[in-house]
């Protein structure tokens, strides 16, 4: 794992994909589609500002992950975002979640459990995922609507949580 200049673990932030980073052009501003033939392989459209935000968070010293309940392969997700200049620090898809989190548990666990991966902030559109954060030890930011200030709000929330974590670790 990469360390920052203070030799501490970097805080992890994760994003859901569907309706968070992947949005519909009919309801949200989006990044330009990839050029042919890539647009035939990668049909998803990124929320406008996604590459800028992820790269900015990494510049600010955060690890940025994807945590999705979809079963898109890690390779597919990595390659799609690579075409937009984005490299994630970690990816948890539905397959990995079932294998590493749900495993053989008789009790059905939530569809996402960011705390199992030491993720401090998870950005999602689903109310249930966000509402379970307190119970399962992770903080959330609910994002679904079109919002021109979404990037700034997520950076502010990440900074707030990093500050709280620093206070808790003193």
């Amino acid at each position: 794992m990469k360390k920052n200049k203070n030799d501490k673990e970097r805080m992890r932030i994760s994003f859901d994909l569907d309706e968070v980073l992947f949005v519909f052009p009919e309801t949200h501003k989006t990044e330009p589609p990839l050029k042919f033939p890539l647009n035939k392989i990668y049909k998803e459209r990124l929320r406008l500002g996604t590459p800028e935000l992820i790269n900015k968070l990494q510049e600010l010293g955060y690890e940025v992950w994807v945590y999705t309940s979809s079963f898109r392969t890690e390779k597919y997700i990595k390659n799609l975002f690579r075409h937009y200049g984005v490299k994630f620090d970690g990816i948890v898809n539905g397959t990995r979640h079932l294998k590493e989190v749900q495993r053989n548990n008789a009790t059905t666990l939530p569809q996402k459990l960011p705390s199992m991966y030491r993720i401090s902030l998870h950005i999602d559109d689903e109310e249930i995922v966000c509402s379970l954060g307190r119970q399962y030890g992770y903080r959330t930011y609910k994002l679904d609507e079109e919002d021109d200030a979404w990037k700034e709000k997520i950076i502010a929330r990440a900074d707030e949580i990093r500050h709280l974590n620093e206070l808790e670790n003193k």
Side-chain angles (χ1 to χ4, degrees):
M1 173 187 298
K2 298 175 189 170
K3 304 279 183 169
N4 68 16
K5 62 185 170 210
N6 297 325
D7 204 36
K8 295 179 183 174
E9 285 189 8
R10 297 187 301 152
M11 185 178 115
R12 289 182 180 169
I13 300 171
S14 64
F15 287 85
D16 180 34
L17 290 179
D18 295 307
E19 287 80 48
V20 175
L21 297 185
F22 295 160
V23 294
F24 297 103
E26 297 79 19
T27 58
H28 292 77
K29 296 175 187 170
T30 61
E31 291 290 324
L34 295 171
K35 303 286 185 222
F36 180 84
L38 296 173
N39 65 340
K40 300 300 179 192
I41 300 166
Y42 306 107
K43 297 182 188 316
E44 294 89 351
R45 296 293 299 276
L46 295 187
R47 183 185 292 260
L48 184 64
T50 294
E52 176 189 357
L53 174 61
I54 293 167
N55 289 320
K56 179 68 173 174
L57 288 167
Q58 290 170 329
E59 286 172 25
L60 292 170
Y62 296 101
E63 276 190 31
V64 182
W65 288 45
V66 164
Y67 198 147
T68 179
S69 53
S70 88
F71 290 92
R72 292 178 187 91
T73 66
E74 188 173 328
K75 180 180 177 182
Y76 178 89
I77 295 166
K78 278 183 184 177
N79 287 338
L80 186 158
F81 280 93
R82 182 175 49 84
H83 292 295
Y84 284 97
V86 171
K87 184 176 188 281
F88 288 106
D89 296 292
I91 296 173
V92 179
N93 62 9
T95 304
R96 182 175 176 186
H97 173 86
L98 289 175
K99 180 181 173 189
E100 297 176 359
V101 178
Q102 185 60 47
R103 295 189 306 254
N104 298 331
N105 288 319
T107 307
T108 301
L109 295 172
Q111 65 176 319
K112 294 180 188 126
L113 212 50
S115 53
M116 292 288 291
Y117 296 95
R118 295 187 337 273
I119 292 167
S120 299
L121 172 61
H122 177 69
I123 294 94
D124 209 296
D125 66 305
E126 292 191 40
E127 186 63 44
I128 187 68
V129 173
C130 293
S131 68
L132 292 172
R134 186 177 305 267
Q135 179 181 347
Y136 287 99
Y138 60 92
R139 293 183 174 103
T140 61
Y141 181 87
K142 187 172 185 301
L143 174 69
D144 52 6
E145 301 298 321
E146 174 67 24
D147 181 356
D148 289 338
W150 75 284
K151 299 182 308 268
E152 295 79 9
K153 290 176 181 178
I154 288 173
I155 290 170
R157 180 76 171 131
D159 288 345
E160 172 191 338
I161 291 169
R162 180 158 54 188
H163 180 71
L164 290 171
N165 288 348
E166 288 169 355
L167 292 175
E168 290 170 2
N169 294 327
K170 282 190 175 184

